[in-house]
Amino acid sequence: MKKILLSGVKPSGRPHIGNYFGAMKQFVELLASDKYECYFFIPDYHALNTVQNAEEMRHNSLDVAIDYMALGLDPTKATLFKQSDVSAHTELAWIFDTLVSVPYLQRAHAYKDAEAKGTEISMGTFNYPVLMAADILLYDTDVVPVGQDQKQHIEYARDIAAKFNNTFGETFKLPEPFILENMATVPGTDGRKMSKSYNNTIPLFATREEIVKAVMGIVTDSGADVPTNVYAMHKLFRPEGDIKALYEANKGKYKALKEALIEDIDAFLKPLRERRAEIAKNEKQVMIVLDKGAEKAHGKASAKLRDVKKKIGVL
Ligand code: ADP
Ligand code: TRP
């Protein structure tokens, strides 16, 4: 029996190379290894915390499905589906809500960050880790490939699984995160973590013009021989040995180094961009993939939920 792998990327805007190197690249490689039964889903109910426009939600969700397929997540080998199509996710999240305390959720990094900004926090944002635990635990997931910033969420899922098992008897498997340490955080054009919310990204399917604009905008620390932020990004696209020689030969020549980076990023993204454009021509086909995926995910999730309902005494 193969181990079960599940992960997802929120449809909250265009994915960027941080999402790719931090998480999506692992999706592709782990699927190709043929060692896992894979589920890649689109957490649209998680995105609803920030995307509150029907057109945008529809568009973004379909985009993530196209992105998955363009990167090589073959729907005949993995199950691709949308979270909102499988109602067991939100139903299980409610059951978990009754087991989780408010102070425990207040310790979540994402909650603390939102609180520090002083904005009013929705119940959806507060409960984010509970829905995510339901996403993971419904499928008896063994491994969850994610970027470093999601590690705490996997710990929440493990804690919630253990709490349920203690209260109602052995039901859930404890999932493990799969995080590549050296790829833990990809820096953005301003040197902070690359993130959709910081406006410092290089989109994963960027056009050449977009790549040029983003790379030329990388913040450099004047005076240093090696522009740290340019170097940090460059080593994602070329072996570090090559890079060292290039930067040694071009000490202080920021423009030349940025131009070299543009060429490397463009060479890397071009085939992905082309494959994506091809898949995007047939949106109907992508929707069929998601419908089929939902059917398969629903079968598995509803069997698990039935077991849970028996354990808690509502069935
Ligand atoms: P964002 O911060 O841009 O909104 P998400 O929260 O949607 O990104 O993250 C999707 C996936 O990509 C997660 O697994 C996350 O850990 C990973 N990820 C996001 N940004 C980075 C980054 N800069 N470096 C590495 N991984 C990242
Ligand atoms: N929280 C994840 C992110 O921001 C998205 C997500 C939701 C997820 N549910 C999940 C990832 C379950 C892995 C498994 O990237």
Side-chain angles (χ1 to χ4, degrees):
M1 277 256 285
K2 283 185 181 175
K3 286 197 167 186
I4 296 173
L5 179 153
L6 174 139
S7 195
V9 172
K10 259 183 304 177
S12 53
R14 282 173 87 187
H16 49 76
I17 60 169
N19 299 140
Y20 177 73
F21 287 106
M24 296 163 108
K25 182 167 184 262
Q26 281 68 260
F27 298 0
V28 180
E29 288 171 0
L30 292 164
L31 175 63
S33 77
D34 211 26
K35 286 196 200 130
Y36 302 93
E37 178 182 331
C38 293
Y39 294 81
F40 299 109
F41 78 112
I42 301 164
D44 48 357
Y45 277 155
H46 276 113
L48 189 58
N49 280 309
T50 52
V51 180
Q52 300 186 334
N53 172 296
E55 235 352 87
E56 199 183 332
M57 178 64 87
R58 254 181 229 117
H59 188 88
N60 285 356
S61 297
L62 194 63
D63 270 354
V64 174
I66 299 172
D67 296 344
Y68 281 168
M69 289 164 72
L71 291 176
L73 300 183
D74 178 347
T76 64
K77 301 209 172 90
T79 306
L80 309 185
F81 69 100
K82 234 166 53 174
Q83 184 184 38
S84 60
D85 281 337
V86 184
S87 56
H89 290 237
T90 43
E91 209 174 333
L92 183 60
W94 174 262
I95 296 170
F96 287 161
D97 272 343
T98 66
L99 292 171
V100 169
S101 79
V102 169
Y104 174 69
L105 283 181
Q106 280 171 327
R107 289 200 287 273
H109 302 314
Y111 171 77
K112 284 199 212 154
D113 291 350
E115 202 188 27
K117 282 187 197 141
T119 48
E120 208 169 64
I121 296 161
S122 71
M123 284 304 294
T125 300
F126 187 62
N127 271 342
Y128 191 107
V130 181
L131 179 57
M132 182 154 163
D135 297 338
I136 296 169
L137 300 177
L138 263 180
Y139 298 86
D140 290 327
T141 304
D142 295 289
V143 278
V144 187
V146 280
Q148 181 68 37
D149 61 344
Q150 294 297 316
K151 192 172 176 191
Q152 193 192 33
H153 285 149
I154 316 292
E155 280 157 15
Y156 270 89
R158 291 173 62 92
D159 288 349
I160 292 172
K163 184 107 195 249
F164 187 99
N165 291 348
N166 275 333
T167 313
F168 297 107
E170 205 55 33
T171 309
F172 292 110
K173 229 187 233 179
L174 270 50
E176 297 284 345
F178 180 97
I179 298 170
L180 288 187
E181 291 308 329
N182 58 341
M183 281 303 167
T185 304
V186 174
T189 54
D190 58 0
R192 293 189 290 171
K193 166 188 136 77
M194 185 175 288
S195 171
K196 280 165 230 156
S197 22
Y198 295 159
N199 217 350
N200 64 353
T201 69
I202 297 187
L204 180 53
F205 299 94
T207 61
R208 186 176 172 94
E209 295 72 51
E210 287 173 320
I211 298 169
V212 171
K213 187 157 174 263
V215 171
M216 285 306 171
I218 296 178
V219 177
T220 48
D221 32 358
S222 61
D225 279 349
V226 171
T228 329
N229 294 335
V230 182
Y231 185 91
M233 204 170 289
H234 216 151
K235 71 179 196 260
L236 299 170
F237 295 91
R238 242 181 216 266
E240 205 159 354
D242 292 9
I243 301 281
K244 278 207 172 111
L246 180 76
Y247 281 70
E248 189 58 35
N250 288 280
K251 272 189 187 161
K253 295 183 191 155
Y254 293 2
K255 186 154 180 285
L257 290 168
K258 282 185 170 181
E259 279 164 358
L261 175 59
I262 289 169
E263 290 315 317
D264 284 346
I265 297 181
D266 194 41
F268 179 81
L269 295 191
K270 193 163 176 269
L272 294 181
R273 216 158 52 207
E274 288 171 356
R275 212 173 317 145
R276 193 185 190 289
E278 217 31 61
I279 294 167
K281 278 185 197 156
N282 197 346
E283 288 191 350
K284 270 231 172 74
Q285 184 52 38
V286 180
M287 288 181 193
I288 293 172
V289 163
L290 291 181
D291 283 348
K292 282 197 179 143
E295 214 175 291
K296 175 146 185 244
H298 174 74
K300 182 140 177 147
S302 54
K304 188 77 192 177
L305 187 62
R306 223 183 131 68
D307 180 28
V308 170
K309 284 176 149 182
K310 281 190 191 148
K311 292 264 174 50
I312 63 173
V314 298
L315 266 191

